[in-house]
Amino acid sequence: MATQFTQEERPNWKTPFFTIWIGQAVSLLGSQLVQFALIWYLTRETGSAVVLTTATLVAMLPQIVLGPIVGSLVDRGNRRRFMIAADSTIALLTVGLAVLFATGLIQIWHIYAIMFLRSLAGSFHGPSFTASTSLMVPKEQLSRVQGLNQMLNGGLAILSAPLGALLLEILPMQGILAIDVVTALVAVTCLFFVAIPQPERKLAVGQGPTTVWQDMVFGFKYVISWPGLLIVLLMATLINFLLTPASSLSPLYVTNHFGGGAQELAWLQSAFGLGIVLGGTILGVWGGFQRRIITAMGGLIGLGAGMFIMGVTPANAFPIAISAMLLGGIMQPIVNGSLGAILQATVDPEMQGRVFTLVFTAATAISPLGLLIAGPLSEIYGIQTWYIIGGAICALAGLYGFISKSVMTIEDGRPGDRDEVAGATPSPAKAGALDY
C-alpha cells in the first residue's frame, strides 16, 4: 500500500523523485519556448489583439471545463501512465505542427487546435505529477520541494522569453518546435526508469466500484465538507482574481501613472521574476514554519502589502514600485508553495487529483471575471485603485486566516476522517499497489 511517509522511513527518496523532477523541468523549458514562439508568431503575422486573446482562451479552456473530470480520472488511473501519455502526446502534436511550418501549410486555426490539444494533455499531466509528489517526498520536505518548484517556474519565466527570442533569430520555427520534442522525450525517458506509487482506493463497507461521475461528485463533497480546505480554495480563487488583472494592467500603469515606457515595464517584470526566484529559493532552503499555514498566511499578507504599495506609490517614485514588485514576487511562491505543500500533506492521496484540479479550475475560471471588473473600474477610478483594493483584500484575507480556527487547523486533517477510515476497507484492486 502506497502511503505518505517520513524521511526516516525512506531516506533514499531523492534519487527517484529528482530523476522525474529534472525530466519535467527540461520538458517545461521546451514547452515555454514553444509558447513564446507561437505567441510571437501570432503577434508578428496578425498584429491582432483578438487573435492573441483567443489563443489565451483556447489554451485555458480544457483545464477550466474538463478539470474536475480529469481529476477524477487521474485518481482512478495510473498516474505514471498518464504522465507518459501526456508528454508523448505533446511531442506528437509538436511534430505535426513542425511539419505544417516546414511545408508552409500552417494556418492560424492549426495553431489554435494544437494549443487546445497540448493544454488538454497538460491538464492530465499537472495533477498526476502534483498528486504523485506527496507519495514520493517525505511529509516534512514537501514545503522545500514546493519552493524548488516555485523557483523553477520563476527562473524559467525569466529565461524562456530572451532564450526564445534568441532562438527565433537563428532557427526556423520548426527548429524551435524540434527542441520541444526532444525535451518531452527526455521527460518520458526519465519516467520509464522510476516507479511512481499508486494511492490506495478506499471503499466504504458494502460499496462497489464507483463511476467517474460519482468520484467527481465525491470530490466536490470532500472539499465542501472540510471548512479549512474550502476557505483555502476560496483564498486561492481570490488571489488569482486579483493578481491576473494586476498583471494585465501593468503596462498601462507604467505608461499612464509613471509616464514610463518599455524599459520601465521591463524593470518591473524583471523585479517580479527575480522575486519569484528569491522566494522559491527561500522556501526551498528554509521550508517555512513548522505549521505551514502560518507561512502561507504571512506570505499572503506580504503579497497584499506589495500590491498595496504599488497602488499608493507616487508617480515620481518609480524605484519604490520596483521594490514593491520585488516584494510581491518573493511572497507569491511562499504563498503558493506553502498552500501546495499543505494540500499534498493533508488531502488523502487518493483524492489529490480531484482536489488539485478543483483548486486550479476555480482559480483559473475566475480570471476572466477579474479582467471584466478590473477594466471598467480602472477606467473610472484609475489603475492604481485596483492595486490598492487588491492589495488590501489580499492582506485582509491573510489576517482572516490567522483568526480562523478552520484555517489554522487545516493541517490536522478533515473533520470526521477518522470515522470514515474506520468504516472503510481497501479496494482489492489497489491495495498494496506500486505501479511500474
Side-chain angles (χ1 to χ4, degrees):
M1 179 180 68
T3 59
Q4 292 179 309
F5 59 94
T6 64
Q7 186 158 324
E8 289 74 17
E9 293 171 335
R10 200 179 302 170
N12 299 321
W13 64 273
K14 292 181 181 179
T15 299
F17 175 75
F18 282 106
T19 297
I20 296 177
W21 189 88
I22 291 171
Q24 298 306 310
V26 171
S27 179
L28 184 59
L29 174 60
S31 295
Q32 292 201 6
L33 290 175
V34 166
Q35 182 180 358
F36 176 86
L38 291 179
I39 291 298
W40 180 248
Y41 174 84
L42 294 174
T43 302
R44 185 184 63 196
E45 294 296 317
T46 69
S48 169
V50 173
V51 169
L52 293 180
T53 54
T54 301
T56 301
L57 182 61
V58 164
M60 290 171 61
L61 273 178
Q63 302 191 37
I64 293 176
V65 176
L66 301 176
I69 298 175
V70 168
S72 298
L73 292 172
V74 166
D75 283 337
R76 293 169 66 89
N78 184 303
R79 292 169 179 175
R80 175 171 170 269
R81 292 174 186 169
F82 274 130
M83 284 190 278
I84 292 174
D87 283 329
S88 301
T89 300
I90 289 172
L92 289 173
L93 290 169
T94 306
V95 168
L97 195 58
V99 171
L100 290 172
F101 271 104
T103 57
L105 299 176
I106 191 68
Q107 301 291 327
I108 300 299
W109 73 266
H110 292 147
I111 296 176
Y112 287 163
I114 296 296
M115 291 179 75
F116 180 88
L117 293 173
R118 282 173 61 97
S119 177
L120 179 60
S123 69
F124 281 90
H125 185 282
S128 296
F129 180 66
T130 305
S132 297
T133 299
S134 62
L135 296 176
M136 300 185 71
V137 176
K139 293 181 180 180
E140 60 269 34
Q141 299 295 334
L142 287 171
S143 291
R144 289 189 172 90
V145 168
Q146 281 286 344
L148 289 176
N149 291 338
Q150 297 294 322
M151 181 181 66
L152 173 67
N153 291 333
L156 290 180
I158 296 173
L159 176 65
S160 60
L163 180 58
L166 174 64
L167 291 175
L168 281 171
E169 292 293 327
I170 60 178
L171 291 176
M173 179 64 77
Q174 55 266 32
I176 297 177
L177 295 173
I179 294 174
D180 185 45
V181 174
V182 172
T183 58
L185 292 178
V186 169
V188 171
T189 301
C190 291
L191 285 166
F192 272 115
F193 290 98
V194 177
I196 294 182
Q198 289 291 107
E200 173 194 9
R201 281 180 61 85
K202 304 183 186 75
L203 298 176
V205 175
Q207 180 185 7
T210 56
T211 65
V212 173
W213 173 257
Q214 288 173 324
D215 282 352
M216 186 176 69
V217 171
F218 184 68
F220 280 104
K221 291 180 178 179
Y222 183 91
V223 172
I224 293 172
S225 65
W226 191 342
L229 179 57
L230 181 59
I231 294 172
V232 167
L233 172 59
L234 294 175
M235 284 183 175
T237 303
L238 177 66
I239 293 169
N240 221 45
F241 175 80
L242 296 170
L243 291 186
T244 299
S247 175
S248 299
L249 292 170
S250 59
L252 289 176
Y253 196 34
V254 168
T255 57
N256 295 351
H257 182 66
F258 294 108
Q263 184 175 0
E264 286 74 17
L265 177 61
W267 275 106
L268 283 182
Q269 291 180 338
S270 297
F272 193 77
L274 176 61
I276 291 176
V277 174
L278 290 175
T281 303
I282 291 169
L283 187 61
V285 173
W286 170 40
F289 294 107
Q290 185 173 2
R291 206 153 185 85
R292 300 181 182 97
I293 193 64
I294 296 176
T295 311
M297 294 302 103
L300 187 55
I301 293 173
L303 181 60
M307 291 183 64
F308 186 85
I309 293 170
M310 273 289 292
V312 300
T313 298
N316 60 352
F318 187 69
I320 296 178
I322 293 177
S323 300
M325 288 294 282
L326 180 65
L327 174 62
I330 291 172
M331 293 301 168
Q332 180 169 304
I334 289 177
V335 175
N336 291 342
S338 298
L339 290 178
I342 288 169
L343 295 181
Q344 287 176 327
T346 57
V347 174
D348 291 341
E350 67 165 302
M351 296 294 303
Q352 288 190 10
R354 280 164 281 184
V355 171
F356 282 121
T357 52
L358 282 174
V359 170
F360 183 85
T361 298
T364 305
I366 201 68
S367 298
L369 178 60
L371 291 167
L372 288 174
I373 294 175
L377 183 67
S378 300
E379 289 284 342
I380 298 172
Y381 299 105
I383 296 174
Q384 61 267 35
T385 304
W386 183 259
Y387 284 92
I388 293 171
I389 293 175
I393 293 176
C394 265
L396 289 173
L399 289 172
Y400 172 77
F402 276 114
I403 65 175
S404 169
K405 182 179 179 181
S406 295
V407 174
M408 284 293 103
T409 59
I410 186 174
E411 293 173 82
D412 297 336
R414 186 169 70 111
D417 262 355
R418 259 181 220 173
D419 296 336
E420 285 189 19
V421 173
T425 57
S427 167
K430 292 293 182 181
L434 180 63
D435 274 49
Y436 291 81

